[in-house]
Amino acid sequence: MGYYSRQTKVLLHYAAYDRACDAMERWPTGQSRTVMPDDVVGSPGQFQDRRYEAFPRLPLLWALAALRIDPSRFTFVDYGAGRGRAVLTAARLPFAACVGVEFSQTLHAEACDNVAAYPMDRLACRTITVVNVNAADYTPPSGDLVLFFYNPFTTAVLDRVAEQIEAAARTEPRDIRVIYVNPRRSALFAGRPAFRPELVPLRVRAKLALFGLGPIDFFTVSDVAAATDQAPASRVVAT
């Protein structure tokens, strides 16, 4: 998707829905930001790792609905939370908890302000936190998870994050879903059998393709070793 096409969609979403939501935030989340290397926790990474761009709220809500899950069983985690837009959007659903992961100290502080000041009568989730930690060093919480990415990292950082997610899948039986918005259409989680593509209804894919900001990939993460151990052994018949 070209730059001008994406920006047109951003403006349409802003006019239709996001402007009213931004007005309820102490720090409007629609503004793009690039943070300085000395503002981050851990390795500053490359420019893309420090670039924050907001994702429109409605496509996120559509993607969450496409999972067809009971949100009360899941914790929602946004990697690269910025000022907290995705966390506050997900918190409109009754998730068990919503967590934002942000390595910029400035954006983390602004996200915390937004969470604290947001009208609670607009939120169905009551446990909302934003942690100031480098995503590569973040250990996902226990229990069932929905993990959201809006193209936040370079491949090197994403590989380290994927390793943390795979390790989390091995700690306990759980349901882990991944929503990855990938406008650059780079290879995702290549060579990682734990990440299995998940199909969503065609009508939802069509709506996301028409009104979203780029391709959205859905994954289910499982403990590959456990699944292999539980698989029935093949029978060899002598002839």
Side-chain angles (χ1 to χ4, degrees), residues 24-130:
M24 292 183 284
E25 298 168 341
R26 184 171 295 173
W27 300 91
T29 57
Q31 300 174 359
S32 299
R33 294 279 299 277
T34 301
V35 300
M36 301 304 294
D38 60 359
D39 186 45
V40 305
V41 175
S43 171
Q46 299 181 27
F47 176 84
Q48 181 185 331
D49 298 320
R50 292 181 280 108
R51 178 68 176 170
Y52 164 71
E53 295 181 359
F55 188 66
R57 294 174 176 87
L58 284 177
L60 173 56
L61 292 172
W62 298 336
L64 291 171
L67 297 178
R68 294 170 290 182
I69 61 172
D70 174 6
S72 65
R73 292 179 37 232
F74 288 78
T75 294
F76 174 88
V77 180
D78 176 29
Y79 284 82
R83 287 178 165 177
R85 171 179 282 198
V87 169
L88 287 168
T89 300
R92 292 175 175 244
L93 304 176
F95 280 101
C98 290
V99 181
V101 179
E102 177 54 54
F103 76 158
S104 162
Q105 298 175 70
T106 300
L107 292 179
H108 169 258
E110 293 171 351
C112 290
D113 280 350
N114 278 339
V115 170
Y118 207 82
M120 293 302 294
D121 61 339
R122 300 299 183 96
L123 304 175
C125 174
R126 299 304 188 195
T127 305
I128 308 169
T129 58
V130 182

Side-chain angles (χ1 to χ4, degrees), residues 165-176 193-196 220-231:
I165 297 171
E166 289 172 337
R170 292 192 294 268
T171 61
E172 60 178 306
R174 59 163 90 189
D175 190 352
I176 301 179
F195 288 79
R196 295 180 290 107
T220 298
V221 185
S222 59
D223 182 358
V224 176
T228 303
D229 292 341
Q230 296 171 7

